[in-house]
């Protein structure tokens, strides 16, 4: 189908159905451009909690749709492709995580938002990469904490907070693919460039960063910085908004180690297309479902995150 036709049909359906489209920064540029809101994982949860639309079309991966449904159970939550999962969420099966928690009695449980509802239901407070440091800081210094599932983010938060949280051994297959060699090669080619790194990357990459931050954090930093050139170590979808927000600056994606292509893409995020957004919105299906029993448990740690974030002005 023609792109122009799809865009005008999506806009018509949005009005007709009182739907809003939210997109994560890792979506294709075409999807970001038709969205009413584009943001990081925290912003998507915050918008989902307060929208008065009847339908939320969440263009991202499944856990983002699930989080929106948990926060807005009376709304219809749609995702363009139900198969858009997350390797990080998959690295933490709820039954194994529950066993891990039992092996560490007396620990509070902090989970990254990149988890299933079943893992959130085992959690005291959810975090995203935007608020993880501040939320960990909000616990007493001597609190024993389990952090899951991302060992790289957990390691990074341990290093900047002086904590010794027990880490679940999970990771994102996209962020783990960055290599020191590729970063240093690009640094040699562009010595004036600053390196922007998402904390889901391994610590050897984090150590090369001029700025470590969530997608929203890296974007904000790049806009405000005096530097004109940036090497970006996160999923390459973020470059769309970076380039739009700072058209006078140059953003260069750092490629993964094992590939000849220039970008590091999340294959799950890339399953979503404009065509699927159109079809799913037209049919109002497939819909994200969460049972009431699971929702009642999973909503508490998400609301706690939103409450702390609001207090901190995040
Ligand atoms: P943020 O949106 O918090 O930057 O996280 C990135 C991510 O991996 C989403 O899947
Ligand atoms: Fe999950 Fe990684 Fe894709 Fe984000 S980039 S959705 S953490 S697999």
């Amino acid at each position: 189908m023609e792109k122009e036709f799809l865009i005008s049909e999506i806009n018509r359906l949005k009005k007709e159905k009182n739907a809003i489209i939210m997109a994560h920064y890792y979506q294709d540029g075409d999807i970001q451009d038709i969205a009413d809101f584009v943001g990081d994982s925290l912003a998507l949860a915050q918008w989902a909690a307060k929208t008065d639309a009847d339908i939320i079309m969440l263009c991202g991966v499944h856990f983002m749709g699930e989080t929106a449904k948990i926060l807005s159970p009376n709304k219809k939550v749609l995702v363009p492709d139900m198969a858009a999962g997350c390797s990080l969420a998959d690295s933490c099966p709820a039954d194994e995580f529950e066993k891990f928690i039992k092996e560490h009695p007396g620990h509070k449980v902090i989970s990254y938002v990149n988890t299933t509802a079943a893992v959130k239901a085992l959690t005291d407070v959810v975090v995203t990469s935007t608020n993880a440091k501040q939320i960990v800081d909000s616990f007493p210094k001597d609190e024993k904490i389990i952090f899951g599932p991302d060992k790289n983010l957990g390691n990074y938060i341990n290093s900047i907070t002086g904590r010794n949280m027990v880490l679940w051994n999970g990771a994102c297959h996209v962020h783990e693919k960055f290599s020191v060699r590729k970063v240093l090669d690009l640094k040699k080619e562009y010595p004036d460039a600053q390196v922007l790194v998402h904390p889901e990357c391994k610590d050897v990459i984090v150590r090369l960063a001029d700025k470590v931050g969530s997608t929203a954090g890296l974007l904000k930093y790049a806009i405000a910085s005096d530097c004109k050139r940036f090497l970006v170590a996160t999923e390459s979808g973020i470059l769309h908004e970076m380039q739009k927000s700072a058209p006078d600056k140059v953003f260069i994606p750092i490629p993964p180690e094992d590939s000849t292509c220039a970008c590091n893409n999340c294959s799950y995020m890339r399953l979503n297309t404009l065509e699927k957004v159109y079809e799913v919105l037209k049919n109002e299906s497939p819909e994200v479902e969460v049972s009431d029993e699971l929702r009642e448990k999973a909503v508490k740690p998400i609301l706690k995150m939103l409450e702390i974030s609001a207090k901190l002005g995040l």
Side-chain angles (χ1 to χ4, degrees):
M1 261 181 269
E2 286 283 320
K3 187 169 144 186
E4 282 67 32
F5 170 78
L6 286 172
I7 293 171
S8 81
E9 279 301 284
I10 290 168
N11 283 327
R12 182 183 64 76
L13 289 169
K14 240 170 43 177
K15 265 196 213 130
E16 197 178 291
K17 294 171 185 273
N18 188 28
I20 54 158
I21 300 183
M22 299 182 188
H24 189 270
Y25 289 129
Y26 291 166
Q27 291 292 273
D28 279 341
D30 284 349
I31 294 181
Q32 294 189 42
D33 289 342
I34 51 128
D36 301 287
F37 299 102
V38 184
D40 69 347
S41 306
L42 176 62
L44 294 177
Q46 288 167 327
W47 290 324
K50 63 179 181 214
T51 178
D52 54 12
D54 295 317
I55 296 178
I56 299 172
M57 162 63 77
L58 202 310
C59 300
V61 291
H62 188 265
F63 77 78
M64 295 174 177
E66 202 173 52
T67 304
K69 183 67 185 176
I70 291 167
L71 287 165
S72 282
N74 300 323
K75 301 191 190 307
K76 199 172 261 189
V77 177
L78 307 169
V79 289
D81 192 323
M82 280 289 187
C86 169
S87 57
L88 182 50
D90 290 347
S91 71
C92 189
D95 55 341
E96 290 174 33
F97 194 55
E98 188 169 18
K99 208 167 137 232
F100 187 70
I101 294 169
K102 285 194 181 131
E103 285 162 8
H104 297 88
H107 285 63
K108 289 278 189 262
V109 180
I110 301 184
S111 294
Y112 196 29
V113 70
N114 299 37
T115 45
T116 59
V119 167
K120 291 185 176 80
L122 300 167
T123 295
D124 291 297
V125 57
V126 166
V127 298
T128 74
S129 50
T130 286
N131 57 24
K133 179 190 179 300
Q134 291 90 334
I135 291 182
V136 169
D137 278 341
S138 73
F139 282 85
K141 269 279 169 220
D142 58 351
E143 187 80 68
K144 290 185 194 160
I145 298 173
I146 289 173
F147 185 94
D150 190 351
K151 63 178 175 194
N152 294 320
L153 177 63
N155 244 322
Y156 173 66
I157 300 296
N158 271 344
S159 75
I160 58 172
T161 59
R163 303 265 175 166
N164 188 21
M165 298 185 295
V166 179
L167 307 181
W168 177 262
N169 187 21
C172 155
H173 75 298
V174 178
H175 288 88
E176 285 245 303
K177 272 195 238 159
F178 291 110
S179 73
V180 170
R181 189 174 66 89
K182 294 255 173 166
V183 180
L184 294 181
D185 284 354
L186 280 167
K187 268 299 275 181
K188 211 179 276 172
E189 204 175 329
Y190 305 104
D192 60 315
Q194 288 197 338
V195 181
L196 307 179
V197 175
H198 195 282
E200 287 175 26
C201 294
K202 290 180 281 193
D203 70 328
V204 284
I205 306 296
V206 167
R207 275 190 247 134
L208 299 171
D210 293 288
K211 170 70 184 171
V212 182
S214 63
T215 46
L218 298 179
L219 177 64
K220 203 168 147 197
Y221 177 86
I223 294 168
S225 169
D226 290 335
C227 183
K228 292 285 179 217
R229 204 193 300 267
F230 300 91
L231 305 175
V232 184
T234 189
E235 212 274 354
S236 59
I238 185 66
L239 271 81
H240 182 72
E241 187 60 36
M242 284 177 166
Q243 208 60 80
K244 251 172 107 171
S245 305
D248 59 322
K249 298 182 179 179
V250 178
F251 297 95
I252 301 162
I254 300 176
E257 174 63 17
D258 58 353
S259 149
T260 47
C261 82
C263 297
N264 198 355
N265 290 338
C266 172
S267 49
Y268 297 110
M269 288 278 182
R270 304 292 144 180
L271 285 175
N272 296 336
T273 60
L274 272 187
E275 194 133 17
K276 289 179 191 172
V277 173
Y278 165 65
E279 290 294 340
V280 170
L281 194 53
K282 186 176 72 175
N283 301 326
E284 296 185 27
S285 172
E287 212 183 312
V288 178
E289 307 275 7
V290 180
S291 72
D292 288 344
E293 194 192 344
L294 187 53
R295 182 195 169 265
E296 271 165 37
K297 292 182 190 147
V299 75
K300 289 179 195 153
I302 306 175
L303 288 177
K304 193 148 188 205
M305 167 183 83
L306 294 181
E307 192 190 307
I308 302 174
S309 301
K311 269 191 205 144
L312 294 164
L314 295 169

